[in-house]
Amino acid sequence: MSGVEIALGSVALMLVLIYAGLHVAIALILVSFIGVWVLKDNFDLAANMLVVAFKDSITDQLFGVVPLFVLMGLVVSISGMGRDTFDVAQQAFRRIRGGLGVATVAANAVFAAITGISIASAAVFTKVAVPEMRARGYTPEFSVGVVAGSSVLGMLIPPSLLFILYGILTEQSVGSLFIAGVLPGLLLAVTYSIGIVAMAHLRPGFVGGQMAQEFDAPHMGWGEIAAKLLPIAALVALVLGGIYGGLFTPTEAGGAGAAGALAIAIVKRRLNWRDFWQVLVQTGHTTASICFLIIGASLYSRMLAFTGMPGWLGRTVLEAGFSTEGVVLAMVVVMVLLGTILDSSSIMLLVLPIAVPILNGLGVDLIWLGVIAILAVEIGLLTPPFGIAVYVIKSTLGPDSDITLGQIFCGAAPFALMMLFVLALVFLFPAIATALL
């Protein structure tokens, strides 16, 4: 068998293993090992590649950014900052039809700037926003749909764990990726808000709800608003200001952000020893899962390099006359389809090692491509049958909730379409992602 045939066979075998239920990281490692063994007909060489990859894949200091940002996001999640931002946003948009939905989007946009984890946003606002919306007469579908849709802002508005992962995989500046995500993230939040108001007027039966009256909630004074927002603003300024101002590397910013989040939680007396231990354990689990995936992706990239598939695929694309835009669209379609069965990190780890060498050879701006990739994989968080954000919301609601999985997917569908619209805008107008660079 030729190297290209082995590479294509490995892709087919990987999809079979993943559909069969094998963990993505295990599938990557197993297929990579078998591929090198068959290609070189040398078991020892394949085994040595495993050892080298495990040793070299995550030893760089840059990988320290993963546990630090995960820790910061989890501490922020339990410190009540999500509740604080929602309270302020609720007052700001209380007079708008569909106002609680807009408030959820606005609060999620702020919350995204201090967490970078979509799953954390989905869990927090399921507890905070859904009961408020249900109490105000909003439909079950809309109440959970707006939470599912706005939770994806956590991966687009910096700091974003997916941007960090993309930067590691493509050797691009994490700081530049963070800057590139600002305008698309704000555009998505504005699109969601306009879409919610439009649905509230055009499809009131889907949205439901009523505008708040003065007696529904106590009016917050400026002092109370400042007390709720200043800690959040300080944390955003510390992390993003430190990166953009050249004071911190992304890894150092993650450490400073984690320390700042811990300090805020302690000062607010919202963190006890039991919660802190749970945060540390969950940080360890999340970090181990991500690093294991990175190791598998490193092995897979090396195996593909041995087979010569990236070079062959690049030459084939060029000789076939495919346009750069056509190749990018093909990557987007593949990512969206994989989103029906895989999580965001796994999709990027499977697709990028194959797609990036080709697109880099075509002269594609990899920073712009990063924004496109994040939007594409995040659509998968809302689509059946996998839709991890949907399952997180269902799990957070608990077994006693009357909201079904089908209702959550139904409620999330309009927001997935709005994400697709923003993806099309960024694709057609790259300056949306690159204007601030």
Side-chain angles (χ1 to χ4, degrees), residues 230-295:
L230 280 178
I232 300 166
L235 196 57
V236 172
L238 176 66
V239 176
L240 299 184
I243 293 175
Y244 301 153
L247 300 176
F248 302 140
T249 65
T251 304
E252 292 167 346
L262 284 169
I264 292 171
I266 291 171
V267 169
K268 286 178 170 286
R269 297 182 180 180
R270 292 174 174 175
L271 183 67
N272 55 42
W273 284 110
R274 180 182 177 184
D275 290 336
F276 184 54
W277 174 251
Q278 290 177 343
V279 163
L280 291 179
V281 170
Q282 193 171 350
T283 299
H285 287 168
T286 304
T287 302
S289 176
I290 292 172
C291 288
F292 202 36
L293 281 167
I294 292 172
I295 290 171

Short mmCIF file of all heavy atoms in Angstrom, two decimals, residues 230-295:
data_model
loop_
_atom_site.label_atom_id
_atom_site.label_comp_id
_atom_site.label_asym_id
_atom_site.label_seq_id
_atom_site.Cartn_x
_atom_site.Cartn_y
_atom_site.Cartn_z
N LEU A 230 -18.08 45.81 38.89
CA LEU A 230 -16.67 46.17 39.02
C LEU A 230 -15.74 44.96 39.14
O LEU A 230 -14.67 44.94 38.51
CB LEU A 230 -16.48 47.12 40.21
CG LEU A 230 -16.82 48.59 39.93
CD1 LEU A 230 -16.64 49.43 41.19
CD2 LEU A 230 -15.96 49.13 38.79
N PRO A 231 -16.09 43.93 39.94
CA PRO A 231 -15.20 42.76 40.00
C PRO A 231 -15.03 42.09 38.64
O PRO A 231 -13.93 41.64 38.28
CB PRO A 231 -15.90 41.82 40.99
CG PRO A 231 -16.75 42.71 41.82
CD PRO A 231 -17.20 43.80 40.89
N ILE A 232 -16.12 42.05 37.85
CA ILE A 232 -16.06 41.43 36.52
C ILE A 232 -15.17 42.28 35.61
O ILE A 232 -14.31 41.74 34.90
CB ILE A 232 -17.48 41.32 35.94
CG1 ILE A 232 -18.35 40.44 36.85
CG2 ILE A 232 -17.46 40.76 34.52
CD1 ILE A 232 -19.82 40.52 36.56
N ALA A 233 -15.39 43.60 35.64
CA ALA A 233 -14.58 44.50 34.81
C ALA A 233 -13.11 44.41 35.18
O ALA A 233 -12.23 44.43 34.32
CB ALA A 233 -15.09 45.94 34.94
N ALA A 234 -12.84 44.30 36.48
CA ALA A 234 -11.45 44.21 36.93
C ALA A 234 -10.78 42.94 36.42
O ALA A 234 -9.62 42.96 36.01
CB ALA A 234 -11.40 44.27 38.46
N LEU A 235 -11.52 41.83 36.45
CA LEU A 235 -10.95 40.56 35.98
C LEU A 235 -10.71 40.58 34.48
O LEU A 235 -9.68 40.11 33.99
CB LEU A 235 -11.90 39.41 36.35
CG LEU A 235 -11.31 37.99 36.30
CD1 LEU A 235 -10.09 37.87 37.18
CD2 LEU A 235 -12.37 36.97 36.70
N VAL A 236 -11.66 41.16 33.72
CA VAL A 236 -11.48 41.29 32.27
C VAL A 236 -10.27 42.16 31.96
O VAL A 236 -9.44 41.84 31.11
CB VAL A 236 -12.75 41.88 31.61
CG1 VAL A 236 -12.49 42.20 30.15
CG2 VAL A 236 -13.92 40.91 31.75
N ALA A 237 -10.15 43.28 32.68
CA ALA A 237 -9.02 44.18 32.46
C ALA A 237 -7.70 43.50 32.81
O ALA A 237 -6.69 43.69 32.12
CB ALA A 237 -9.20 45.45 33.29
N LEU A 238 -7.71 42.70 33.86
CA LEU A 238 -6.48 42.01 34.27
C LEU A 238 -6.01 41.03 33.21
O LEU A 238 -4.83 41.02 32.83
CB LEU A 238 -6.73 41.27 35.60
CG LEU A 238 -5.58 40.41 36.13
CD1 LEU A 238 -4.39 41.29 36.51
CD2 LEU A 238 -6.05 39.57 37.32
N VAL A 239 -6.92 40.21 32.71
CA VAL A 239 -6.55 39.15 31.77
C VAL A 239 -6.31 39.71 30.37
O VAL A 239 -5.21 39.58 29.81
CB VAL A 239 -7.64 38.06 31.72
CG1 VAL A 239 -7.29 37.00 30.68
CG2 VAL A 239 -7.80 37.41 33.09
N LEU A 240 -7.33 40.33 29.80
CA LEU A 240 -7.20 40.80 28.42
C LEU A 240 -6.30 42.03 28.33
O LEU A 240 -5.50 42.16 27.39
CB LEU A 240 -8.58 41.12 27.84
CG LEU A 240 -9.55 39.95 27.76
CD1 LEU A 240 -10.84 40.37 27.08
CD2 LEU A 240 -8.93 38.77 27.03
N GLY A 241 -6.41 42.93 29.30
CA GLY A 241 -5.53 44.09 29.31
C GLY A 241 -4.07 43.68 29.46
O GLY A 241 -3.18 44.28 28.83
N GLY A 242 -3.83 42.66 30.27
CA GLY A 242 -2.47 42.19 30.44
C GLY A 242 -1.88 41.60 29.18
O GLY A 242 -0.70 41.82 28.86
N ILE A 243 -2.72 40.86 28.42
CA ILE A 243 -2.25 40.25 27.16
C ILE A 243 -2.03 41.33 26.11
O ILE A 243 -0.97 41.42 25.49
CB ILE A 243 -3.26 39.20 26.66
CG1 ILE A 243 -3.31 38.01 27.60
CG2 ILE A 243 -2.87 38.73 25.26
CD1 ILE A 243 -4.37 36.98 27.24
N TYR A 244 -3.06 42.17 25.88
CA TYR A 244 -2.98 43.17 24.82
C TYR A 244 -1.97 44.26 25.14
O TYR A 244 -1.38 44.86 24.25
CB TYR A 244 -4.35 43.80 24.56
CG TYR A 244 -5.42 42.81 24.17
CD1 TYR A 244 -6.76 43.04 24.43
CD2 TYR A 244 -5.08 41.61 23.54
CE1 TYR A 244 -7.74 42.13 24.08
CE2 TYR A 244 -6.05 40.70 23.17
CZ TYR A 244 -7.38 40.96 23.45
OH TYR A 244 -8.34 40.05 23.10
N GLY A 245 -1.76 44.52 26.44
CA GLY A 245 -0.80 45.55 26.83
C GLY A 245 0.64 45.05 26.87
O GLY A 245 1.55 45.83 27.16
N GLY A 246 0.82 43.76 26.59
CA GLY A 246 2.17 43.21 26.56
C GLY A 246 2.74 42.90 27.93
O GLY A 246 3.94 42.59 28.06
N LEU A 247 1.90 42.95 28.98
CA LEU A 247 2.39 42.67 30.32
C LEU A 247 2.50 41.17 30.58
O LEU A 247 3.38 40.72 31.33
CB LEU A 247 1.45 43.30 31.36
CG LEU A 247 1.28 44.82 31.30
CD1 LEU A 247 0.26 45.28 32.33
CD2 LEU A 247 2.63 45.50 31.57
N PHE A 248 1.59 40.39 29.99
CA PHE A 248 1.54 38.95 30.23
C PHE A 248 1.61 38.19 28.92
O PHE A 248 1.11 38.66 27.89
CB PHE A 248 0.23 38.54 30.93
CG PHE A 248 -0.03 39.20 32.24
CD1 PHE A 248 -1.31 39.61 32.57
CD2 PHE A 248 0.99 39.40 33.16
CE1 PHE A 248 -1.58 40.21 33.78
CE2 PHE A 248 0.74 40.00 34.38
CZ PHE A 248 -0.55 40.42 34.69
N THR A 249 2.22 37.02 28.97
CA THR A 249 2.00 36.03 27.92
C THR A 249 0.63 35.40 28.21
O THR A 249 0.08 35.55 29.31
CB THR A 249 3.07 34.94 27.95
OG1 THR A 249 2.95 34.21 29.20
CG2 THR A 249 4.47 35.54 27.85
N PRO A 250 0.04 34.67 27.25
CA PRO A 250 -1.24 34.02 27.53
C PRO A 250 -1.19 33.11 28.76
O PRO A 250 -2.15 33.07 29.54
CB PRO A 250 -1.52 33.22 26.25
CG PRO A 250 -0.86 34.02 25.18
CD PRO A 250 0.39 34.56 25.81
N THR A 251 -0.08 32.40 28.94
CA THR A 251 0.04 31.52 30.11
C THR A 251 0.06 32.34 31.39
O THR A 251 -0.62 32.00 32.38
CB THR A 251 1.32 30.68 30.01
OG1 THR A 251 1.30 29.95 28.78
CG2 THR A 251 1.40 29.68 31.16
N GLU A 252 0.82 33.41 31.41
CA GLU A 252 0.88 34.27 32.60
C GLU A 252 -0.47 34.93 32.86
O GLU A 252 -0.88 35.09 34.02
CB GLU A 252 1.96 35.32 32.42
CG GLU A 252 3.37 34.76 32.40
CD GLU A 252 4.41 35.75 31.90
OE1 GLU A 252 4.01 36.78 31.32
OE2 GLU A 252 5.61 35.48 32.08
N ALA A 253 -1.17 35.31 31.79
CA ALA A 253 -2.50 35.91 31.94
C ALA A 253 -3.48 34.91 32.55
O ALA A 253 -4.33 35.28 33.37
CB ALA A 253 -3.02 36.40 30.60
N GLY A 254 -3.34 33.64 32.16
CA GLY A 254 -4.18 32.62 32.76
C GLY A 254 -3.93 32.48 34.25
O GLY A 254 -4.87 32.35 35.05
N GLY A 255 -2.65 32.52 34.66
CA GLY A 255 -2.31 32.46 36.07
C GLY A 255 -2.84 33.66 36.83
O GLY A 255 -3.40 33.53 37.93
N ALA A 256 -2.67 34.86 36.24
CA ALA A 256 -3.16 36.07 36.89
C ALA A 256 -4.68 36.05 37.00
O ALA A 256 -5.25 36.44 38.02
CB ALA A 256 -2.71 37.30 36.10
N GLY A 257 -5.35 35.58 35.93
CA GLY A 257 -6.81 35.51 35.95
C GLY A 257 -7.33 34.52 36.98
O GLY A 257 -8.30 34.80 37.68
N ALA A 258 -6.67 33.36 37.08
CA ALA A 258 -7.08 32.37 38.08
C ALA A 258 -6.91 32.92 39.49
O ALA A 258 -7.78 32.75 40.35
CB ALA A 258 -6.26 31.08 37.90
N ALA A 259 -5.77 33.60 39.74
CA ALA A 259 -5.53 34.20 41.06
C ALA A 259 -6.56 35.29 41.34
O ALA A 259 -7.09 35.39 42.46
CB ALA A 259 -4.11 34.75 41.12
N GLY A 260 -6.86 36.11 40.31
CA GLY A 260 -7.85 37.17 40.50
C GLY A 260 -9.24 36.63 40.77
O GLY A 260 -9.96 37.14 41.64
N ALA A 261 -9.63 35.57 40.06
CA ALA A 261 -10.94 34.96 40.29
C ALA A 261 -11.04 34.37 41.69
O ALA A 261 -12.07 34.51 42.36
CB ALA A 261 -11.19 33.89 39.24
N LEU A 262 -9.97 33.72 42.14
CA LEU A 262 -9.95 33.17 43.50
C LEU A 262 -10.08 34.29 44.53
O LEU A 262 -10.82 34.17 45.51
CB LEU A 262 -8.66 32.39 43.73
CG LEU A 262 -8.59 30.99 43.09
CD1 LEU A 262 -7.17 30.44 43.17
CD2 LEU A 262 -9.57 30.03 43.76
N ALA A 263 -9.35 35.40 44.32
CA ALA A 263 -9.41 36.51 45.26
C ALA A 263 -10.81 37.10 45.34
O ALA A 263 -11.33 37.38 46.43
CB ALA A 263 -8.40 37.59 44.84
N ILE A 264 -11.46 37.29 44.18
CA ILE A 264 -12.82 37.84 44.16
C ILE A 264 -13.79 36.90 44.86
O ILE A 264 -14.64 37.33 45.66
CB ILE A 264 -13.26 38.09 42.70
CG1 ILE A 264 -12.44 39.24 42.09
CG2 ILE A 264 -14.75 38.41 42.64
CD1 ILE A 264 -12.66 39.41 40.60
N ALA A 265 -13.68 35.60 44.58
CA ALA A 265 -14.59 34.63 45.20
C ALA A 265 -14.41 34.60 46.72
O ALA A 265 -15.39 34.49 47.47
CB ALA A 265 -14.34 33.24 44.61
N ILE A 266 -13.17 34.73 47.18
CA ILE A 266 -12.91 34.71 48.63
C ILE A 266 -13.43 35.99 49.28
O ILE A 266 -14.07 35.94 50.34
CB ILE A 266 -11.39 34.54 48.89
CG1 ILE A 266 -10.95 33.13 48.47
CG2 ILE A 266 -11.07 34.78 50.36
CD1 ILE A 266 -9.44 32.94 48.49
N VAL A 267 -13.19 37.14 48.64
CA VAL A 267 -13.66 38.40 49.19
C VAL A 267 -15.18 38.42 49.28
O VAL A 267 -15.77 38.92 50.25
CB VAL A 267 -13.14 39.58 48.34
CG1 VAL A 267 -13.85 40.88 48.74
CG2 VAL A 267 -11.64 39.74 48.50
N LYS A 268 -15.85 37.87 48.27
CA LYS A 268 -17.31 37.81 48.26
C LYS A 268 -17.85 36.70 49.14
O LYS A 268 -19.06 36.53 49.27
CB LYS A 268 -17.81 37.61 46.82
CG LYS A 268 -17.70 38.85 45.93
CD LYS A 268 -18.17 38.52 44.52
CE LYS A 268 -18.30 39.76 43.67
NZ LYS A 268 -19.48 40.57 44.01
N ARG A 269 -16.94 35.89 49.70
CA ARG A 269 -17.31 34.76 50.56
C ARG A 269 -18.22 33.77 49.84
O ARG A 269 -19.21 33.27 50.38
CB ARG A 269 -17.99 35.27 51.84
CG ARG A 269 -17.08 36.12 52.71
CD ARG A 269 -17.76 36.56 53.98
NE ARG A 269 -16.87 37.37 54.80
CZ ARG A 269 -17.20 37.90 55.98
NH1 ARG A 269 -18.42 37.69 56.46
NH2 ARG A 269 -16.32 38.62 56.66
N ARG A 270 -17.85 33.49 48.60
CA ARG A 270 -18.63 32.56 47.78
C ARG A 270 -17.83 31.31 47.43
O ARG A 270 -18.19 30.59 46.50
CB ARG A 270 -19.08 33.26 46.50
CG ARG A 270 -20.10 34.37 46.75
CD ARG A 270 -20.41 35.12 45.47
NE ARG A 270 -21.48 36.10 45.65
CZ ARG A 270 -21.87 36.96 44.72
NH1 ARG A 270 -21.28 36.95 43.52
NH2 ARG A 270 -22.82 37.83 44.96
N LEU A 271 -16.77 31.07 48.14
CA LEU A 271 -15.94 29.89 47.86
C LEU A 271 -15.54 29.24 49.18
O LEU A 271 -14.77 29.83 49.96
CB LEU A 271 -14.69 30.28 47.06
CG LEU A 271 -13.77 29.14 46.63
CD1 LEU A 271 -14.48 28.25 45.60
CD2 LEU A 271 -12.47 29.68 46.04
N ASN A 272 -16.04 28.02 49.43
CA ASN A 272 -15.62 27.29 50.62
C ASN A 272 -14.67 26.17 50.21
O ASN A 272 -14.40 25.95 49.02
CB ASN A 272 -16.84 26.73 51.37
CG ASN A 272 -17.73 25.88 50.47
OD1 ASN A 272 -17.25 25.08 49.67
ND2 ASN A 272 -19.05 26.05 50.61
N TRP A 273 -14.15 25.47 51.21
CA TRP A 273 -13.14 24.45 50.93
C TRP A 273 -13.70 23.31 50.08
O TRP A 273 -13.01 22.77 49.21
CB TRP A 273 -12.56 23.89 52.23
CG TRP A 273 -11.60 24.82 52.90
CD1 TRP A 273 -11.80 25.51 54.06
CD2 TRP A 273 -10.29 25.17 52.43
NE1 TRP A 273 -10.69 26.29 54.33
CE2 TRP A 273 -9.75 26.09 53.36
CE3 TRP A 273 -9.53 24.80 51.32
CZ2 TRP A 273 -8.48 26.64 53.21
CZ3 TRP A 273 -8.26 25.35 51.17
CH2 TRP A 273 -7.76 26.25 52.10
N ARG A 274 -14.95 22.96 50.31
CA ARG A 274 -15.56 21.88 49.53
C ARG A 274 -15.68 22.27 48.06
O ARG A 274 -15.33 21.49 47.17
CB ARG A 274 -16.93 21.55 50.10
CG ARG A 274 -17.64 20.42 49.35
CD ARG A 274 -19.02 20.17 49.93
NE ARG A 274 -19.72 19.14 49.17
CZ ARG A 274 -20.99 18.77 49.42
NH1 ARG A 274 -21.67 19.36 50.39
NH2 ARG A 274 -21.55 17.84 48.69
N ASP A 275 -16.17 23.49 47.80
CA ASP A 275 -16.28 23.97 46.43
C ASP A 275 -14.91 24.07 45.76
O ASP A 275 -14.76 23.74 44.58
CB ASP A 275 -16.97 25.34 46.40
CG ASP A 275 -18.45 25.25 46.76
OD1 ASP A 275 -19.03 24.17 46.60
OD2 ASP A 275 -19.00 26.28 47.21
N PHE A 276 -13.92 24.55 46.53
CA PHE A 276 -12.58 24.70 45.98
C PHE A 276 -12.00 23.35 45.57
O PHE A 276 -11.37 23.22 44.52
CB PHE A 276 -11.68 25.39 47.00
CG PHE A 276 -10.29 25.69 46.48
CD1 PHE A 276 -10.11 26.41 45.31
CD2 PHE A 276 -9.18 25.25 47.17
CE1 PHE A 276 -8.84 26.67 44.83
CE2 PHE A 276 -7.90 25.51 46.70
CZ PHE A 276 -7.74 26.23 45.53
N TRP A 277 -12.24 22.35 46.40
CA TRP A 277 -11.74 21.01 46.07
C TRP A 277 -12.42 20.48 44.80
O TRP A 277 -11.77 19.90 43.93
CB TRP A 277 -11.97 20.05 47.23
CG TRP A 277 -11.61 18.62 46.92
CD1 TRP A 277 -12.46 17.57 46.74
CD2 TRP A 277 -10.29 18.10 46.70
NE1 TRP A 277 -11.77 16.44 46.45
CE2 TRP A 277 -10.43 16.72 46.42
CE3 TRP A 277 -9.01 18.66 46.73
CZ2 TRP A 277 -9.34 15.91 46.16
CZ3 TRP A 277 -7.92 17.85 46.48
CH2 TRP A 277 -8.08 16.49 46.19
N GLN A 278 -13.73 20.68 44.69
CA GLN A 278 -14.45 20.25 43.49
C GLN A 278 -13.94 20.97 42.24
O GLN A 278 -13.82 20.36 41.17
CB GLN A 278 -15.95 20.49 43.67
CG GLN A 278 -16.60 19.57 44.70
CD GLN A 278 -18.07 19.89 44.91
OE1 GLN A 278 -18.55 20.96 44.54
NE2 GLN A 278 -18.81 18.95 45.50
N VAL A 279 -13.64 22.25 42.38
CA VAL A 279 -13.10 23.02 41.26
C VAL A 279 -11.75 22.45 40.82
O VAL A 279 -11.47 22.29 39.64
CB VAL A 279 -12.97 24.51 41.64
CG1 VAL A 279 -12.05 25.24 40.66
CG2 VAL A 279 -14.33 25.18 41.65
N LEU A 280 -10.88 22.14 41.80
CA LEU A 280 -9.56 21.59 41.49
C LEU A 280 -9.68 20.23 40.79
O LEU A 280 -8.98 19.96 39.81
CB LEU A 280 -8.73 21.45 42.76
CG LEU A 280 -8.27 22.75 43.44
CD1 LEU A 280 -7.49 22.44 44.70
CD2 LEU A 280 -7.42 23.58 42.48
N VAL A 281 -10.57 19.38 41.29
CA VAL A 281 -10.76 18.05 40.68
C VAL A 281 -11.30 18.20 39.25
O VAL A 281 -10.80 17.54 38.33
CB VAL A 281 -11.72 17.19 41.54
CG1 VAL A 281 -12.10 15.92 40.79
CG2 VAL A 281 -11.07 16.86 42.88
N GLN A 282 -12.29 19.07 39.07
CA GLN A 282 -12.86 19.25 37.73
C GLN A 282 -11.83 19.87 36.79
O GLN A 282 -11.79 19.52 35.60
CB GLN A 282 -14.10 20.14 37.82
CG GLN A 282 -14.93 20.12 36.53
CD GLN A 282 -16.26 20.82 36.70
OE1 GLN A 282 -16.68 21.16 37.80
NE2 GLN A 282 -16.95 21.04 35.60
N THR A 283 -11.00 20.77 37.30
CA THR A 283 -9.93 21.34 36.48
C THR A 283 -8.97 20.25 36.02
O THR A 283 -8.55 20.22 34.86
CB THR A 283 -9.15 22.41 37.27
OG1 THR A 283 -10.04 23.47 37.64
CG2 THR A 283 -8.01 22.98 36.44
N GLY A 284 -8.62 19.36 36.94
CA GLY A 284 -7.73 18.25 36.59
C GLY A 284 -8.34 17.34 35.53
O GLY A 284 -7.66 16.95 34.57
N HIS A 285 -9.62 17.00 35.70
CA HIS A 285 -10.29 16.14 34.73
C HIS A 285 -10.34 16.78 33.34
O HIS A 285 -10.02 16.13 32.33
CB HIS A 285 -11.72 15.84 35.19
CG HIS A 285 -11.78 14.89 36.35
ND1 HIS A 285 -12.92 14.68 37.09
CD2 HIS A 285 -10.84 14.10 36.91
CE1 HIS A 285 -12.69 13.79 38.04
NE2 HIS A 285 -11.43 13.44 37.95
N THR A 286 -10.72 18.06 33.29
CA THR A 286 -10.83 18.76 32.01
C THR A 286 -9.48 18.89 31.33
O THR A 286 -9.33 18.65 30.13
CB THR A 286 -11.45 20.15 32.22
OG1 THR A 286 -12.71 20.02 32.87
CG2 THR A 286 -11.63 20.87 30.89
N THR A 287 -8.46 19.25 32.13
CA THR A 287 -7.11 19.43 31.57
C THR A 287 -6.56 18.11 31.05
O THR A 287 -5.97 18.06 29.96
CB THR A 287 -6.17 19.99 32.65
OG1 THR A 287 -6.69 21.24 33.13
CG2 THR A 287 -4.77 20.22 32.09
N ALA A 288 -6.75 17.04 31.82
CA ALA A 288 -6.26 15.73 31.38
C ALA A 288 -6.93 15.30 30.08
O ALA A 288 -6.27 14.79 29.17
CB ALA A 288 -6.51 14.69 32.47
N SER A 289 -8.23 15.56 29.97
CA SER A 289 -8.95 15.19 28.75
C SER A 289 -8.42 15.97 27.55
O SER A 289 -8.17 15.39 26.48
CB SER A 289 -10.44 15.46 28.95
OG SER A 289 -11.17 15.21 27.77
N ILE A 290 -8.22 17.28 27.72
CA ILE A 290 -7.73 18.11 26.62
C ILE A 290 -6.31 17.72 26.22
O ILE A 290 -5.99 17.59 25.03
CB ILE A 290 -7.80 19.60 27.00
CG1 ILE A 290 -9.26 20.05 27.12
CG2 ILE A 290 -7.07 20.47 25.96
CD1 ILE A 290 -9.43 21.44 27.68
N CYS A 291 -5.45 17.52 27.22
CA CYS A 291 -4.05 17.17 26.92
C CYS A 291 -3.95 15.80 26.25
O CYS A 291 -3.11 15.60 25.36
CB CYS A 291 -3.23 17.20 28.22
SG CYS A 291 -2.92 18.85 28.85
N PHE A 292 -4.80 14.87 26.65
CA PHE A 292 -4.80 13.55 26.03
C PHE A 292 -5.20 13.67 24.56
O PHE A 292 -4.63 13.00 23.68
CB PHE A 292 -5.77 12.64 26.78
CG PHE A 292 -5.49 11.18 26.60
CD1 PHE A 292 -4.20 10.69 26.49
CD2 PHE A 292 -6.53 10.27 26.53
CE1 PHE A 292 -3.93 9.34 26.32
CE2 PHE A 292 -6.29 8.91 26.35
CZ PHE A 292 -4.99 8.45 26.24
N LEU A 293 -6.17 14.55 24.28
CA LEU A 293 -6.57 14.78 22.90
C LEU A 293 -5.43 15.42 22.09
O LEU A 293 -5.21 15.08 20.93
CB LEU A 293 -7.80 15.70 22.86
CG LEU A 293 -9.15 15.05 23.16
CD1 LEU A 293 -10.21 16.11 23.41
CD2 LEU A 293 -9.59 14.14 22.03
N ILE A 294 -4.71 16.35 22.72
CA ILE A 294 -3.60 17.00 22.03
C ILE A 294 -2.50 15.99 21.70
O ILE A 294 -1.91 16.03 20.62
CB ILE A 294 -3.04 18.16 22.89
CG1 ILE A 294 -4.06 19.30 22.99
CG2 ILE A 294 -1.72 18.69 22.31
CD1 ILE A 294 -3.68 20.39 23.95
N ILE A 295 -2.23 15.08 22.63
CA ILE A 295 -1.23 14.03 22.37
C ILE A 295 -1.67 13.18 21.19
O ILE A 295 -0.89 12.86 20.29
CB ILE A 295 -1.04 13.16 23.63
CG1 ILE A 295 -0.34 13.97 24.73
CG2 ILE A 295 -0.24 11.91 23.30
CD1 ILE A 295 -0.30 13.27 26.07
#
